[in-house]
Amino acid sequence: MPPVRTPYYLIDEIKLQKNLEILRFIREQSGAKSVLALKCFSTWCVFDLMRQYMDGATSSSLFEARLGHEKFGKEVHAYSVVYSADEIDAVSQFADKIIFNSISQLKRFYAQVQGMVIGLRVNPGISYSHFDLADPARKCCRLGVCSDQDLDSVADMISGIMFHFNCENDDIENIIAAIEQIGNQYASLLEKMTWVSLGGGISFTQEGYPIEKLCKALKGFSEKYAVQVYLEPGEAAISQSTELVTTVLDIVHNEVDIAIVDSFVEGHLLDHLIYRTTPKISFPRPGNHRIMIAGRSCLAGDIFGTYDLETKLNVGDEIRIADTAGYTMVKKNWFNGLPMPSIVVRRLNGTIELVRRFGYEDFVNNLS
Ligand SMILES: Cc1ncc(COP(=O)(O)O)c(C=O)c1O
Ligand SMILES: NCCCCNCC[C@H](N)C(=O)O
């Protein structure tokens, strides 16, 4: 295949498979099933691989539920912060499980969703998150039924509960304590359920994570309450599998050297702008040459970061941004009309496949 023109997202199936093997291990050791959180990653060209290791997908909207049904298969969980009346019938065509966010939505649509497995999101009021924006236990949170509301009165209407209370939680002791606390807090309700989802946000594919301890906690919970446990990994499933490959288009100087690349943060790495985090560079390697790397959009603060690299950068050099699968490709946009990164996959057998290239037609059709 001829060299692919940058920018492009490069998904490496071997790296992806490393995460998927961990999911398989968790399933074997604890019995917990995993459904992919499509909100984090919906790049379906690698679903053939992911499907072999995961039990299905979970969605946050009608379109994601449809994507799960059409492109992932297996189990499709449909959760949405709120459903409009006209979405309910459609969602029931694509999903086998529907999870309501509130008691009012559950009661309103209960008759319409007979035949589906019905669940409710419950907010245990505890969480782990470094970001207020993504903290499910933030003040006045609208996500899930809070414990002081009347859950007992609707227990007979549902067979399962979804708790999503973590964001990038790599603290095993914290998660073990939280699982135990949730068990104690909802024991009588859990005894009436057949399944419980513990949501996403657990960093169990991070290097050195004590997976056996997690498996023990999951298995213990599952056995104690006689429920099928689900996990909803987004980030953990695809972490470290993907790079954004860019090229330096210009070098300018204003107190510091600044390399301007053929990509930009707001359009191609939006999550970093939202959460004020700095992406890591996977190529060139670290060294002594300090340079600011910036994007090509009109935004003054369109800056990836300042890095110390092993080589002095020149126009035409390649720069790879690390870990750009989660909450990245799903959020890419056409701001400034700038070229959209292609999607490239390095398959398990080493073949490089250009899966999708975007052009002017895609930009035009994005609006009308
Ligand atoms: C209900 C639910 N499940 C799963 C996830 C996936 O979380 P993560 O990507 O952190 O694993 C999220 C994140 O928003 C979520 O809201
Ligand atoms: N990398 C910066 C933080 C990412 C937060 N992820 C947001 C989604 C999350 N799963 C949530 O629950 O909101």
Side-chain angles (χ1 to χ4, degrees), residues 37 39-40 79 121 162 164 199-201 232-236 327:
K39 72 183 73 185
C40 171
Y79 162 72
R121 177 169 181 174
M162 187 264 274
H164 170 70
E232 302 181 3
E235 197 66 65
Y327 301 101

Side-chain angles (χ1 to χ4, degrees), residues 87 188 192 207 241 250-251 269 350 352 367:
E87 286 170 340
S188 61
K192 297 182 189 145
E207 200 66 40
S241 65
D250 195 11
I251 310 255
L269 277 182
I352 305 281
L367 289 172

